[in-house]
Amino acid sequence: MSVTTTCVKRAFKYRFHPTDVQAAELSRTFGCVRKVYNLALAARTEAWARQERVNYNATSAMLTAWKKTGELAYLNEVSSVPLQQTLRHLQGAFTNFFAKRAKYPRFKSRKTSRKSAEYTTSGFRFRDGKLTLAKMDQPLHIVWSRPLPEGARPSTVTVSQDAAGRWFVSLLCDDPGVRPLAPTGAVVGIDVGLDHLLTLSTGEKITNPRHERADRARLAKAQRELSRKARGEGANRAKARRKAARIHARIADRRRDLLHKLTTRLVRENQTLVVEDLTVRNMVRNHTLARAISDASWSEFRSLLEYKAAWYGRDVVVVDRFFPSTRLCSNCGTLAQRMPLNVRIWTCEGCGATHDRDVNAARNLLAAGLAVTVCGAGVRPQRSTPGGQSAVKQKTPRREP
């Protein structure tokens, strides 16, 4: 395996506590960023209706003209760097749309859209471990929960505020510490579930902590209190909204922390990891299981697993969603006709072997992944599902150039 020596761009996210003046300045910046984005999107949409093309340079010229008008003169009060960056983000959104990687860009809402502003090197100063943004006299009071890489210099800084009122700053730096790990011959099949969050082909089962269920009573109470507040911009409703948002944030933080620990461990211990290609978007349409599936966060687990595998030189093999991993006997290959969800242990009619439902599925996934490894990267194996579709597809990790 070739070893790359280039640095990986990595974002380091920290909490910070702004002063009243800094909070007011950042709030104005968030509002201006949202306004410029919406104005530029409206201009590009109108131009598209006239069969005209408007690119980033054109919207940048529009921004200059908007600042000279009396109605939008307040745009001059904030740093110009985040305003230019939001135009670049809009350009990227249209690029993804035309490449059919995303839907048409949507307007940003003051209530529901993420509050954030991105600064490039001309919009901040980072010296002696202190970060000072443009239009500010004092550095941000950052809680350095972990050190930056030695000698790291941020290339971009993103400031954001979540629905719970917490402030975050994300510093994008080169991290020389991320490099491919020593190759290992270990391979593992991973079956995700609800009773157990993960079941490995080794027989190990990782308990599903069900973070949302643990805080469900507190969340329901907070949401009831919010529903009783008069709709509008009242202070009491805003306070109740933040209270509910803090509970949601607590659930999301614990869930993300667990997934990071699990994916890091799996990537470090195994060379090849085999997972199933699940359509979570369709699965959550089942209203009986939607809440539990969302709480398990299978999509985030796969996303974390894939980018960490790319970082550390591991391979992720994704098995086709129609591959009958649960109904297929891992001992003799006999296919059971049906397998209801309430059946956790079953006996194969062909060989008489007794299987744990989840462990058997993980072992079948591992076998499918090994078939890809034997056939070679990018080569589909001959084994196919009863419907004629290929059992697996190779998920080639993206290597840094």
Side-chain angles (χ1 to χ4, degrees):
M1 178 182 294
S2 61
V3 178
T4 178
T5 58
T6 58
C7 292
V8 171
K9 286 286 188 182
R10 188 175 182 181
F12 293 82
K13 191 174 182 179
Y14 303 93
R15 286 281 302 273
F16 76 96
H17 303 285
T19 64
D20 293 340
V21 175
Q22 291 173 339
E25 176 64 28
L26 290 173
S27 296
R28 283 195 298 269
T29 303
F30 295 158
C32 292
V33 164
R34 182 179 62 252
K35 182 67 173 181
V36 169
Y37 185 95
N38 289 341
L39 288 173
L41 176 56
R44 295 186 67 149
T45 302
E46 293 171 1
W48 180 256
R50 299 192 302 268
Q51 297 185 349
E52 298 177 4
R53 299 294 293 270
V54 176
N55 56 17
Y56 163 75
N57 293 331
T59 54
S60 181
M62 292 178 186
L63 175 59
T64 303
W66 292 334
K67 288 183 176 182
K68 296 179 181 179
T69 64
E71 183 181 358
L72 299 175
Y74 62 86
L75 296 178
N76 294 289
E77 299 176 2
V78 302
S79 172
S80 62
V81 176
L83 305 185
Q84 293 290 342
Q85 285 300 103
T86 196
L87 295 180
R88 293 188 176 94
H89 293 164
L90 180 61
Q91 178 64 36
F94 272 101
T95 300
N96 291 332
F97 168 70
F98 289 124
K100 297 182 179 180
R101 293 190 296 266
K103 296 182 179 180
Y104 192 82
R106 295 184 297 178
F107 290 95
K108 293 184 179 294
S109 168
R110 182 170 60 87
K111 293 183 179 180
T112 60
S113 295
R114 179 172 179 260
K115 300 177 181 179
S116 66
E118 184 178 271
Y119 296 79
T120 56
T121 52
S122 60
F124 66 88
R125 182 174 68 252
F126 186 75
R127 294 178 183 174
D128 301 326
K130 295 183 178 180
L131 176 67
T132 306
L133 302 178
K135 300 285 186 177
M136 294 186 184
D137 298 329
Q138 299 178 357
L140 300 179
H141 179 206
I142 300 175
V143 181
W144 297 102
S145 54
R146 56 175 173 167
L148 288 173
E150 186 176 356
R153 303 292 301 178
S155 57
T156 61
V157 170
T158 302
V159 181
S160 60
Q161 185 184 27
D162 66 5
R166 303 179 300 176
W167 295 86
F168 295 93
V169 59
S170 179
L171 291 77
L172 186 64
C173 308
D174 288 327
D175 188 358
V178 177
R179 57 174 59 92
L181 300 172
T184 175
V187 294
V188 65
I190 306 171
D191 180 66
V192 298
L194 297 179
D195 288 341
H196 294 88
L197 183 62
L198 302 178
T199 301
L200 309 184
S201 55
T202 58
E204 179 184 358
K205 292 186 176 183
I206 299 173
T207 303
N208 184 0
R210 302 182 186 272
H211 295 111
E212 186 272 339
R213 176 181 290 182
D215 281 344
R216 185 173 298 176
R218 294 178 60 219
L219 180 60
K221 180 180 178 182
Q223 290 175 333
R224 285 195 301 269
E225 293 176 354
L226 174 60
S227 66
R228 287 195 289 265
K229 305 300 180 184
R231 293 187 177 275
E233 300 299 326
N236 288 338
R237 184 172 180 82
K239 182 179 179 180
R241 185 186 298 113
R242 284 194 300 270
K243 183 176 180 180
R246 282 195 294 269
I247 300 175
H248 277 295
R250 168 184 163 87
I251 296 171
D253 289 346
R254 289 186 298 167
R255 180 190 298 131
R256 191 179 303 110
D257 178 69
L258 175 64
L259 292 179
H260 270 294
K261 291 176 180 177
L262 290 177
T263 51
T264 298
R265 173 203 152 190
L266 291 172
V267 167
R268 290 187 181 277
E269 294 178 352
N270 301 278
Q271 180 64 40
T272 302
L273 305 103
V274 186
V275 296
E276 189 175 5
D277 184 22
L278 298 175
T279 52
V280 178
R281 180 180 299 179
N282 293 336
M283 296 174 71
V284 295
R285 294 177 181 175
N286 182 338
H287 298 296
T288 303
L289 300 175
R291 176 177 283 184
I293 292 174
S294 298
D295 191 28
S297 196
W298 296 335
S299 296
E300 185 174 5
F301 167 77
R302 176 175 165 181
S303 176
L304 296 178
L305 195 69
E306 288 178 347
Y307 86 70
K308 291 181 181 181
W311 277 2
Y312 298 112
R314 304 310 199 196
D315 298 313
V316 175
V317 177
V318 182
V319 176
D320 191 274
R321 68 193 61 166
F322 297 107
F323 178 62
S325 59
T326 302
R327 297 186 293 118
L328 192 67
C329 175
S330 59
N331 187 42
C332 67
T334 300
L335 184 66
Q337 294 300 320
R338 56 190 303 272
M339 189 70 59
L341 287 175
N342 63 331
V343 176
R344 311 313 303 176
I345 297 177
W346 60 283
T347 301
C348 175
E349 296 179 356
C351 63
T354 301
H355 298 291
D356 179 284
R357 177 193 184 100
D358 298 329
V359 175
N360 177 71
R363 290 173 178 171
N364 283 324
L365 293 175
L366 175 60
L370 289 176
V372 170
T373 305
V374 172
C375 292
V379 179
R380 294 179 182 269
Q382 297 300 316
R383 186 179 187 181
S384 60
T385 64
Q389 301 197 25
S390 178
V392 294
K393 57 182 179 181
Q394 178 76 23
K395 179 66 177 180
T396 305
R398 178 171 55 86
R399 298 284 196 269
E400 295 295 330

